[in-house]
Amino acid sequence: MNYYSLNHKSPKVSFQEAVVRGIAPDKGLYFPEKINPLPEDFFKNIEDLSNNEIAFALIRQFVGDEIPENKLKEIIADTLSFDFPVVEVEEDVYALELYHGPTMAFKDVGARFMARCLSYFNKNNSHEVTVLVATSGDTGGAVASGFLGVKGVNVVILYPGGKVSEVQEKQLTTLGQNIRALEVNGTFDDCQAMVKNAFLDKEITDNIQLTSANSINIARWLPQMFYFAFTYKHLKKEGKPLVFSTPSGNFGNICAGMMAQQLGLPVSHFIASTNINRVVPDYMETGNYKPVPSYQTISNAMDVGDPSNFIRIQEIYYNDFQNLKKHLSSYSFTDEETRTAMKYLYEIRNYIADPHGAVGYLGLKKYRKEHSETLGVFLETAHPVKFLDVVEPVIEQKIDFPPQIESVVHKTKKSTIITTYDELRSFLLG
Ligand SMILES: *Cc1c(COP(=O)(O)O)cnc(C)c1O
């Protein structure tokens, strides 16, 4: 499969090259040249298939013959070594819990898949790669864990100092080995801008093979299709139109769901739920896409002022706004509303949601008010323990640390503080 740049000023590349580059030389995101729907039978008989078989069928065409079939199956099995429970929260409303992996966030899936692809491409140890990644919270931990000890891959993570939760910070600053953390005096948008600059800096790219592990990287983005299909398999017997509400920041996760729909997955509607960083909800209302600086909220992994993957969603719908509107709704919620939802879910439904999942729940409820015939799923994108300072005071209840978290919180943080782009450059070159 070949990939083109959404800026249309760089040559088409193979899967491998798109993964290794991360972003095209013209700064565009890569997008697959073709999307071939799977046979109808595949979805009709999906309950006969294992999760690994479903994942293989979904990703096969996007990898092409660049990874041998057996190896790709191995990578998938390794990536999906944990559960994806679909939990009924109230009638016709389900939580898809994506937090049972090593760092307890959905990003584990993409990060683990991408790390294993890079490791395969690097099998002859011919080229060292540096993964440079900006995180608003969970990407850093998932990438650090997914890439830890992977030969020939150095990882440099930028995060906004003081703007990620303590657990998140520990997950990305305590592993050591090939993982280094840079604590930036600034916002997530500043981190992301620095990373973008580094990719365009000839002095750096002449010396180092840089790649990204944000959802702009196709190997991080596409495997996120898998669990939308697992959920369909689980809920198909209910026989109702399925809708997904995805708490969205850079819109990689929801965009992967929409790709799965392009492959034929029967999804009736998508809801992109956001906090007050509402560039996309505003766009869906006005048709005007206006990036703005991000605001800090309690669902900080979604504090994004210019979602990088939204351009891919527009590409899926051939930039046809009216058509997109038929498939996507987008709503924004305040921290106050989010806290109220968390409290309600805990007290009335006996379910502990993290702030991101709660935003997803709110979006789903809003949509279902006028579409009660649907079966709704909201994505629970992180374990509530990752946002202790927010969750505990709201539910007035202590949350137990799962083993994955317990093992990390007592370790010592190790980071380098930077403020300017020049400091990042010296760090990379030095
Ligand atoms: C990254 C993240 C999101 C946003 O996902 P996108 O793919 O960037 O839209 C939502 N919730 C949590 C917990 C996250 O870590």
Side-chain angles (χ1 to χ4, degrees):
M1 172 70 74
N2 285 330
Y3 291 80
Y4 60 93
S5 161
L6 289 178
N7 283 351
H8 304 284
K9 293 196 180 82
S10 298
K12 286 177 188 162
V13 296
S14 63
F15 175 74
Q16 172 169 350
E17 199 173 339
V19 176
V20 171
R21 281 181 181 278
I23 194 161
D26 64 5
K27 298 196 245 178
L29 269 64
Y30 283 118
F31 196 84
E33 199 172 30
K34 273 187 82 181
I35 303 171
N36 299 310
L38 298 176
E40 240 174 76
D41 272 4
F42 173 79
F43 294 102
K44 242 185 221 155
N45 303 320
I46 196 165
E47 52 274 73
D48 299 338
L49 302 174
S50 69
N51 278 0
N52 288 356
E53 288 167 334
I54 294 170
F56 180 79
L58 290 173
I59 202 82
R60 186 68 187 129
Q61 63 176 292
F62 297 107
V63 176
D65 54 11
E66 295 173 54
I67 299 179
E69 186 168 323
N70 280 347
K71 187 67 206 173
L72 183 57
K73 284 182 174 162
E74 225 174 83
I75 290 175
I76 287 169
D78 236 27
T79 299
L80 299 175
S81 58
F82 45 91
D83 292 335
F84 299 85
V86 181
V87 177
E88 185 165 19
V89 172
E90 53 193 53
E91 201 187 342
D92 291 340
V93 171
Y94 293 79
L96 167 59
E97 293 185 350
L98 298 175
Y99 58 65
H100 296 270
T103 73
M104 315 212 86
F106 78 89
K107 294 187 173 80
D108 281 331
V109 174
R112 289 165 71 78
F113 185 83
M114 180 183 162
R116 281 152 186 79
C117 288
L118 271 187
S119 167
Y120 173 77
F121 294 143
N122 212 51
K123 56 192 182 301
N124 302 325
N125 258 335
S126 43
H127 279 297
E128 278 213 344
V129 186
T130 297
V131 171
L132 182 65
V133 66
T135 181
S136 57
D138 280 336
T139 302
V143 167
S145 154
F147 283 81
L148 182 66
V150 174
K151 263 203 200 148
V153 185
N154 300 306
V155 176
V156 178
I157 300 167
L158 281 75
Y159 72 99
K163 295 188 179 68
V164 303
S165 81
E166 197 187 329
V167 170
Q168 287 176 329
E169 185 172 44
K170 284 288 171 84
Q171 285 183 325
L172 58 95
T173 57
T174 60
L175 291 179
Q177 295 186 46
N178 57 333
I179 316 290
R180 290 178 296 167
L182 294 176
E183 186 173 352
V184 175
N185 272 320
T187 61
F188 169 67
D189 291 338
D190 296 329
C191 298
Q192 210 167 24
M194 281 194 198
V195 167
K196 276 190 183 155
N197 275 336
F199 275 92
L200 302 171
D201 191 323
K202 212 169 145 13
E203 201 187 334
I204 292 176
T205 52
D206 281 351
N207 286 290
I208 305 169
Q209 177 63 61
L210 281 185
T211 191
S212 73
N214 289 104
S215 49
I216 54 175
N217 196 302
I218 53 166
R220 243 292 308 277
W221 166 51
L222 290 170
Q224 299 175 150
M225 293 186 295
F226 299 163
Y227 36 74
F228 289 91
F230 301 165
T231 307
Y232 173 70
K233 169 184 161 185
H234 189 84
L235 294 174
K236 181 171 166 250
K237 58 181 179 300
E238 307 289 329
K240 293 185 179 174
L242 187 59
V243 301
F244 284 102
S245 170
T246 306
S248 298
N250 264 320
F251 284 68
N253 208 10
I254 192 164
C255 184
M258 293 174 138
M259 287 294 280
Q261 187 188 37
Q262 295 301 304
L263 296 183
L265 183 72
V267 178
S268 139
H269 202 72
F270 287 95
I271 301 137
S273 303
T274 74
N275 56 33
I276 54 167
N277 293 288
R278 46 174 303 145
V279 178
V280 174
D282 285 346
Y283 170 76
M284 294 309 293
E285 217 169 283
T286 63
N288 245 331
Y289 186 85
K290 264 215 223 102
V292 289
S294 62
Y295 297 101
Q296 206 178 328
T297 74
I298 58 170
S299 47
N300 63 31
M302 309 197 292
D303 294 352
V304 182
D306 185 7
S308 46
N309 281 287
F310 195 65
I311 187 165
R312 282 184 171 139
I313 292 180
Q314 290 175 305
E315 187 75 4
I316 291 175
Y317 292 101
Y318 302 102
N319 295 297
D320 177 344
F321 182 59
Q322 294 310 327
N323 192 19
L324 174 60
K325 267 178 122 164
K326 283 183 209 144
H327 294 91
L328 176 71
S329 300
S330 191
Y331 309 120
S332 146
F333 301 94
T334 64
D335 282 355
E336 202 47 51
E337 290 169 304
T338 306
R339 284 198 175 92
T340 305
M342 286 162 62
K343 204 171 166 60
Y344 170 84
L345 281 169
Y346 180 65
E347 286 174 0
I348 310 296
R349 303 295 177 193
N350 200 23
Y351 189 81
I352 304 180
D354 95 292
H356 305 79
V359 168
Y361 172 78
L362 283 167
L364 183 59
K365 292 294 275 189
K366 184 159 178 169
Y367 180 78
R368 285 194 77 254
K369 255 192 199 143
E370 318 224 304
H371 302 87
S372 57
E373 77 289 357
T374 59
L375 198 65
V377 177
F378 67 96
L379 277 56
E380 238 309 353
T381 44
H383 193 290
V385 78
K386 300 193 79 177
F387 300 91
L388 271 191
D389 352 350
V390 179
V391 178
E392 282 187 347
V394 170
I395 65 171
E396 300 176 68
Q397 181 69 42
K398 285 261 168 234
I399 303 175
D400 293 334
F401 279 18
Q404 293 103 308
I405 303 293
E406 186 68 47
S407 66
V408 100
V409 284
H410 301 297
K411 290 191 185 161
T412 312
K413 160 180 162 183
K414 213 175 153 211
S415 69
T416 304
I417 297 176
I418 65 165
T419 307
T420 63
Y421 175 68
D422 279 343
E423 288 173 276
L424 171 62
R425 167 195 266 176
S426 321
F427 184 86
L428 290 172
L429 293 172

